[in-house]
Amino acid sequence: MSEDLRPRLAGLLATVLERDAQSVAALADDQPLFGGGLGLDSLSGVRLLAMIQAEFGVDIATEDLALESLESVGTLSRFLAERI
């Protein structure tokens, strides 16, 4: 992930998860976003999608109908890096 993208994405995830941005930035790329991973649920997932659209101008729900880009920190990072 680009050096500029990682802190921005970590900041969004930290806000949604109500966690410290540094601890979120240190997460491994294979860390799942939902379920037993970071613990995103449907409501926090929608919040994250809205924040990503506002911050990066990318509408993930429209571009990735299966939402495979939300499987892990790494898949989300790669998806965004390809589009911004």
Side-chain angles (χ1 to χ4, degrees), residues 25 32 39 69 77:
S69 61
S77 301

PDB file of all heavy atoms in Angstrom, residues 25 32 39 69 77:
ATOM      1  N   ALA A  25      -2.995   0.850  12.481  1.00  0.00           N
ATOM      2  CA  ALA A  25      -1.970   0.928  11.430  1.00  0.00           C
ATOM      3  C   ALA A  25      -1.000  -0.244  11.507  1.00  0.00           C
ATOM      4  O   ALA A  25      -0.431  -0.646  10.489  1.00  0.00           O
ATOM      5  CB  ALA A  25      -1.220   2.249  11.525  1.00  0.00           C
ATOM      6  N   PRO A  32      -8.683 -10.070   9.212  1.00  0.00           N
ATOM      7  CA  PRO A  32     -10.052  -9.925   8.710  1.00  0.00           C
ATOM      8  C   PRO A  32     -10.720  -8.669   9.279  1.00  0.00           C
ATOM      9  O   PRO A  32     -10.485  -8.294  10.429  1.00  0.00           O
ATOM     10  CB  PRO A  32     -10.758 -11.179   9.216  1.00  0.00           C
ATOM     11  CG  PRO A  32      -9.666 -12.142   9.527  1.00  0.00           C
ATOM     12  CD  PRO A  32      -8.492 -11.302   9.956  1.00  0.00           C
ATOM     13  N   GLY A  39     -13.738  -7.031  14.044  1.00  0.00           N
ATOM     14  CA  GLY A  39     -15.033  -6.928  14.697  1.00  0.00           C
ATOM     15  C   GLY A  39     -16.015  -5.980  14.036  1.00  0.00           C
ATOM     16  O   GLY A  39     -16.990  -5.577  14.655  1.00  0.00           O
ATOM     17  N   SER A  69     -13.464  -6.975  -1.513  1.00  0.00           N
ATOM     18  CA  SER A  69     -12.401  -6.059  -1.075  1.00  0.00           C
ATOM     19  C   SER A  69     -12.439  -5.825   0.429  1.00  0.00           C
ATOM     20  O   SER A  69     -11.473  -5.328   0.997  1.00  0.00           O
ATOM     21  CB  SER A  69     -12.509  -4.721  -1.803  1.00  0.00           C
ATOM     22  OG  SER A  69     -13.752  -4.107  -1.520  1.00  0.00           O
ATOM     23  N   SER A  77      -6.938  -2.459   1.259  1.00  0.00           N
ATOM     24  CA  SER A  77      -5.806  -1.589   0.905  1.00  0.00           C
ATOM     25  C   SER A  77      -5.475  -1.684  -0.580  1.00  0.00           C
ATOM     26  O   SER A  77      -5.303  -0.678  -1.259  1.00  0.00           O
ATOM     27  CB  SER A  77      -4.573  -1.952   1.713  1.00  0.00           C
ATOM     28  OG  SER A  77      -4.830  -1.822   3.086  1.00  0.00           O
TER      29      SER A  77
END
